[in-house]
Amino acid sequence: MEENRQLTELLEQMKKNEERRNRYAKWQFLASLVTAVCCVLILGIGIGAYVTVVPGLKDALGEIQTVTADLNRIAEQLTEADLAGLVEHVDRLAVTSEEGIKDALEKIESIDIDELNRAIKALSDVVTPLARLMGKFS
């Protein structure tokens, strides 16, 4: 009898162990399922990010290369340009313009305004009678 009881206890113990193994297997299956779903989601997010971000980055890189080429071309043109000569030319032009303005001001200042006014009055005195005379014939 003792042997039967030990055998029964051993079977009971094996049954409990089997139930524990089954529960552990279920939890392991659920954990594997969750892990697989997370991996698929991460892969999907990665592919989506690649599809949306990479073309924008390629466009931005192309624009950066275009701007860099333009800047290089402008830098070459500036090094080839004779900026010192251009500044000197503008300076000479300003001096020449200043001299011309001074000459014009001197000529304007040399005009005798009183004499000009007398000449205009004399011309008016001569033209007024002629205008009246011409007005009678019309």
Side-chain angles (χ1 to χ4, degrees):
M1 241 347 185
E2 181 65 34
E3 212 173 270
N4 280 340
R5 189 178 64 78
Q6 285 180 349
L7 192 57
T8 307
E9 285 179 9
L10 185 61
L11 286 173
E12 291 274 331
Q13 187 68 29
M14 287 176 66
K15 185 178 177 183
K16 286 180 185 177
N17 286 341
E18 187 63 31
E19 287 174 0
R20 282 188 212 148
R21 270 192 229 122
N22 285 339
R23 275 192 306 230
Y24 178 74
K26 286 179 184 177
W27 280 109
Q28 195 173 20
F29 173 75
L30 287 174
S32 297
L33 186 64
V34 168
T35 303
V37 168
C38 288
C39 287
V40 168
L41 286 174
I42 290 172
L43 180 65
I45 290 170
I47 290 172
Y50 178 79
V51 167
T52 57
V53 172
V54 169
L57 289 177
K58 285 181 181 178
D59 292 342
L61 183 61
E63 289 177 17
I64 289 171
Q65 288 174 341
T66 302
V67 169
T68 303
D70 291 344
L71 286 176
N72 287 336
R73 194 169 42 250
I74 289 170
E76 288 174 7
Q77 290 173 353
L78 286 175
T79 55
E80 292 173 1
D82 184 19
L83 293 179
L86 181 63
V87 169
E88 183 180 327
H89 180 69
V90 169
D91 189 39
R92 272 190 264 131
L93 182 63
V95 169
T96 305
S97 297
E98 183 181 348
E99 291 172 357
I101 291 172
K102 282 183 183 178
D103 291 342
L105 285 175
E106 288 174 3
K107 289 179 183 176
I108 289 173
E109 287 176 359
S110 68
I111 295 174
D112 186 8
I113 300 297
D114 293 331
E115 185 66 32
L116 181 63
N117 284 337
R118 279 190 291 255
I120 291 172
K121 177 142 177 39
L123 181 62
S124 175
D125 291 343
V126 171
V127 172
T128 303
L130 284 174
R132 278 191 230 135
L133 180 66
M134 292 296 175
K136 289 182 182 180
F137 292 118
S138 342

